[in-house]
Amino acid sequence: MKLVVTGASGFIGSVLCSRLLQKGHTLTLLTRSAPRDPATLTRLGQALLELDRPAEAEASFRSALAADAEPVQALVGLSSLALSRNRMEEAEQFAQSAVAADAKSVEALVALGLARMRQPGKLLQAKEAFQAALTGEPESLHYQARAWLALVHAAQDDPESALQEAKAAAESQPKSALARGNLSLAHF
């Protein structure tokens, strides 16, 4: 459905836009001015990344980075963008910077694990990042680390550990496509 959202750069508007985009709606955004708040810029960047508008997403993440004293989310967004462009070393650098800014951020540690997992010879380092994410915050995102750990265990030919992590991820977040998909893979 095509929708017009007023106040899209505000807190409520940006959250609303993100949810509407996730449901597949096409949006036209109306704002008084360009957003300046780092959190809003980061959410906008994430929404633009979901819309496959990487240049605009990058500009939004970089604006958030420039305006934020604690740039973890913007760095994770830039790492995701680099991953989508198959720039693994760049993705790893952004993720490392995010971890340096907040060593307990599950999102930063998962981004680091993903960047390393897609590089030859770095599977063990990816596993370490995912394991570190299991001690991070927020706990509600631990299922992501477990789901990716399941794939690492499968790649290391350890089906029992793969199944154990996949089950834990699926039990934690039964509606997560990532967790359910990895559980299906672990059964093979």
Side-chain angles (χ1 to χ4, degrees):
M1 178 182 295
K2 292 182 179 182
L3 302 169
V4 175
V5 178
T6 60
S9 64
F11 177 76
I12 294 171
S14 63
V15 172
L16 175 65
C17 289
S18 179
R19 291 196 181 158
L20 290 171
L21 288 169
Q22 288 172 354
K23 292 184 181 223
H25 297 289
T26 302
L27 304 180
T28 300
L29 309 179
L30 300 177
T31 63
R32 229 179 305 148
S33 61
R36 288 183 214 100
D37 172 55
T40 301
L41 287 164
T42 299
R43 283 192 303 275
L44 178 60
Q46 291 164 341
L48 290 165
L49 193 55
E50 290 173 17
L51 287 171
D52 197 27
R53 292 166 60 179
E56 294 165 275
E58 182 174 9
S60 187
F61 287 134
R62 289 195 183 277
S63 294
L65 194 57
D68 199 352
E70 295 184 28
V72 174
Q73 294 302 316
L75 288 165
V76 168
L78 286 166
S79 179
S80 298
L81 181 63
L83 280 172
S84 74
R85 293 175 168 171
N86 288 318
R87 296 179 183 164
M88 298 313 137
E89 292 84 11
E90 184 180 337
E92 184 176 9
Q93 289 172 349
F94 284 125
Q96 283 175 324
S97 295
V99 170
D102 183 357
K104 290 290 191 181
S105 167
V106 172
E107 292 163 302
L109 288 161
V110 167
L112 182 59
L114 288 172
R116 289 178 172 168
M117 192 166 97
R118 294 182 58 190
Q119 295 181 62
K122 292 198 173 186
L123 194 59
L124 185 57
Q125 290 176 309
K127 181 179 180 179
E128 290 168 356
F130 293 135
Q131 287 171 330
L134 293 176
T135 64
E137 296 293 329
E139 232 177 275
S140 61
L141 296 179
H142 284 188
Y143 79 95
Q144 292 178 358
R146 290 195 182 284
W148 291 112
L149 261 175
L151 289 180
V152 170
H153 287 304
Q156 292 179 323
D157 202 22
D158 184 357
E160 289 177 23
S161 296
L163 185 58
Q164 180 183 355
E165 292 294 355
K167 280 183 179 179
E171 287 170 4
S172 172
Q173 286 291 327
K175 292 184 179 182
S176 165
L178 172 66
R180 286 193 328 267
N182 287 0
L183 180 58
S184 297
L185 288 173
H187 278 292
F188 287 104

